[in-house]
Structure formats: structure tokens, C-alpha cells
Amino acid sequence: MNALEPLVQYSQNTDIYSLLGEPEDPSSDWNELRCAQLSGYDYIFLSAKINSKLANKTSLSEFINDVYQIMQTTHERAKMYIYSSSSVGKPEFAGFEVNWKGGIVRDFHVSPIKNLGQKEFIRTIFDHSGMLAGVA
């Protein structure tokens, strides 16, 4: 099983804050959410740990909409990626494409970044990103 794929299914009524904790809590999973702005896009990096907790469309929709509100961004401007540690110590990335319908996630697709040039570009943005919430 791929560390970038959601692992666990939660009920449709799961509250995002019961999954990740409060954004202000230094020990919450929100500390694994990073962001950067470049060339009119907002790059959002989710850790594989956060991704594994967002296995249903309801919790995923709530989470992404909360992140967009915090960042004051839109679906059109946001580019999402999942990061995980590799065996050589450099983070690996996967693109996270979301299709929306009426403000709710209709479906999503995770695709590993394999092109070396694209991987280096994403890694550079990641290296210059900062934490979205929590303790800096």
C-alpha cells in the first residue's frame, strides 16, 4: 500500500477537528500542513499522515474548505500536493487533484510526481514553504 493513499475510512459524520486537532495546538496534525505562494498560485502541502486521516469526501471537503478559508484562496488558485519521507531523506511528492460539485469533493486523484524537473520544482517550493497553522 502506498503511503500517499488514504488508509482508513471514517464515518460521514467525522468532525475534521476530532481527526486533526485544533490548528492552534502545537501537537496537532495541522503542524504538518505547509503552504507557499508563487506566481499567482497557492501551493498546499499535506503530509501523508494528514492525508491518511482524510479518507472520506465529507472530511476532505471540510478540511480543504477550512484551509482555503485560512489562506484566502480558491479552488482555481490552489495546487495541492502530498509529501512523505523517502528512504534517502528527501521528501517525495504526489499531486492531489480534487473535483468539486456544489462545494463538496466529488472525487479526487492522487498521482506520484515522477518527472525529475517537476519533482525538483515542487521540492524547491516545499523547501521555501511555511507552516499554515500551529507553532512556527
Side-chain angles (χ1 to χ4, degrees), residues 41-60:
Y41 289 103
D42 297 314
Y43 292 86
I44 301 166
F45 297 95
L46 308 173
S47 70
K49 180 180 177 182
I50 289 176
N51 181 54
S52 70
K53 294 182 177 186
L54 301 172
N56 72 55
K57 294 175 188 175
T58 302
S59 62
L60 182 60

Side-chain angles (χ1 to χ4, degrees), residues 92-93 111-123:
E92 290 295 321
F93 300 96
S111 56
I113 306 295
K114 295 183 179 182
N115 176 283
L116 185 58
Q118 185 180 15
K119 191 182 286 192
E120 288 303 317
F121 176 74
I122 299 302
R123 185 172 290 128

Side-chain angles (χ1 to χ4, degrees), residues 5-64:
E5 300 283 334
L7 302 175
V8 181
Q9 292 291 330
Y10 292 92
S11 75
Q12 293 293 330
N13 297 332
T14 303
D15 175 55
I16 194 67
Y17 299 103
S18 65
L19 291 175
L20 302 178
E22 293 295 325
E24 302 81 22
D25 180 356
S27 63
S28 78
D29 290 332
W30 285 86
N31 287 303
E32 296 189 28
L33 178 67
R34 303 185 62 83
C35 64
Q37 296 177 323
L38 178 70
S39 300
Y41 289 103
D42 297 314
Y43 292 86
I44 301 166
F45 297 95
L46 308 173
S47 70
K49 180 180 177 182
I50 289 176
N51 181 54
S52 70
K53 294 182 177 186
L54 301 172
N56 72 55
K57 294 175 188 175
T58 302
S59 62
L60 182 60
S61 296
E62 182 181 343
F63 173 76
I64 293 174

